[in-house]
Amino acid sequence: MNMLTDVFEAERPKLVSICYRMLGEVSGAEDAVQDTWLKWAAADRDQITNPTAWLRRVATNIAIDTLRLARTRRETYVGPWLPEPLLHAAEQAPVPHFELAQECELALLWAMERLNERERAAFILREAFDASYGEIAKVLGTTQAACRQLVSRAQKKLQDSGPRFDAPPEEVAALCQRFFGAVMAENYDTALAMLTPDSVALSDGGANRRAARRPLCGGAEIMQVFQALHQRAKTEPGWTLRTAVANGKAAFLRYRHGQLDSITTLAPDHTGRIAWIYILRNPDKLGTALPGSL
């Protein structure tokens, strides 16, 4: 039994990362990995020649099935749906088992929502885990040629999404500091100039928190909302800000009387201006953002 557990635990971080990238949900990823463990514990070991490949195949297919069910729920979600972040303070290490998952940016998780389940799985296995097309074909039960098409379609859809996914953490941190510094100093024209003409801000409050029920498009509309939020914070007591790391990139955490109210981060385009802003207010998701790591 120890050997059985040791093999699984050695692979767990990668299984968690696959499932988190597939689902964009912390608890969903943990549940998918737990289901993988149950199948692993019950499997006939004599029929498994490559445990690593077997575990990744099972976890990926569980995540595909889970994502199909999740998308049915998301069709009735109130307002924009945003993926759950993985948070930790800048000076602390990520929570165990989620180290690899931290490398997946929130902007990329959001953009991958436009992929179907098999495109998403093929893209993740190829780009994040450098799997061969032969390996992906075995996971998805199809041909290598079909897998190449899945990855190619996924790459094209993601390229058309707007934000950049390869910006260095230092660039994102500096852009965050400049943008939010300008907003708090009421230099709204300066903040506006940092946004692209077709920038998008998404605010996820779910059914329980006030938030924009549609994407905010363009600098003028986005700045109108940020200006209103800043003015509100000036007149209401108890608001504080702190910095953190969300999925490997800088983020601002806003608290009201010591309670986490929102997580905000952004992604630039290839010109270095802000293309995408993420604002999470849904208390259900704030509660799953690995609070013990802060």
Side-chain angles (χ1 to χ4, degrees), residues 26 84-88 260 263 285-294:
V26 174
E84 295 174 4
L86 298 172
L87 287 179
H88 64 96
L260 181 60
I263 301 167
K285 294 184 180 182
L286 293 175
T288 62
L290 303 186
S293 63
L294 284 173

Side-chain angles (χ1 to χ4, degrees), residues 20 23-34 84 98 288 290:
Y20 174 72
L23 302 172
E25 298 176 352
V26 174
S27 60
E30 292 173 329
D31 289 345
V33 173
Q34 178 61 22
E84 295 174 4
F98 278 86
T288 62
L290 303 186

Side-chain angles (χ1 to χ4, degrees), residues 77-80 203-213 232 239 254-263 279-287:
Y77 193 82
V78 179
S203 181
D204 179 348
N208 300 315
R209 283 276 177 87
R210 183 178 178 182
R213 299 304 192 204
R232 176 188 171 193
W239 291 102
R254 191 169 74 147
Y255 290 82
R256 180 80 190 278
H257 299 302
Q259 295 295 315
L260 181 60
D261 178 82
S262 66
I263 301 167
I279 307 168
L280 183 65
R281 298 200 69 228
N282 186 336
D284 295 332
K285 294 184 180 182
L286 293 175

Side-chain angles (χ1 to χ4, degrees), residues 7-66:
V7 170
F8 185 85
E9 289 302 321
E11 193 64 21
R12 182 190 288 271
K14 291 182 180 178
L15 301 179
V16 168
S17 184
I18 289 170
C19 294
Y20 174 72
R21 290 167 191 261
M22 283 293 297
L23 302 172
E25 298 176 352
V26 174
S27 60
E30 292 173 329
D31 289 345
V33 173
Q34 178 61 22
D35 288 346
T36 304
W37 160 254
L38 294 175
K39 288 182 179 294
W40 170 247
D44 182 354
R45 218 69 54 222
D46 293 335
Q47 301 299 315
I48 301 174
T49 57
N50 186 333
T52 295
W54 189 94
L55 287 167
R56 292 186 191 182
R57 176 176 60 80
V58 170
T60 300
N61 282 286
I62 288 173
I64 286 173
D65 292 340
T66 303

Side-chain angles (χ1 to χ4, degrees), residues 23 61 63-73 117-118:
L23 302 172
N61 282 286
I64 286 173
D65 292 340
T66 303
L67 182 57
R68 288 186 177 127
L69 294 174
R71 282 184 164 159
T72 300
R73 297 194 307 270
E117 295 84 0
R118 289 169 68 82

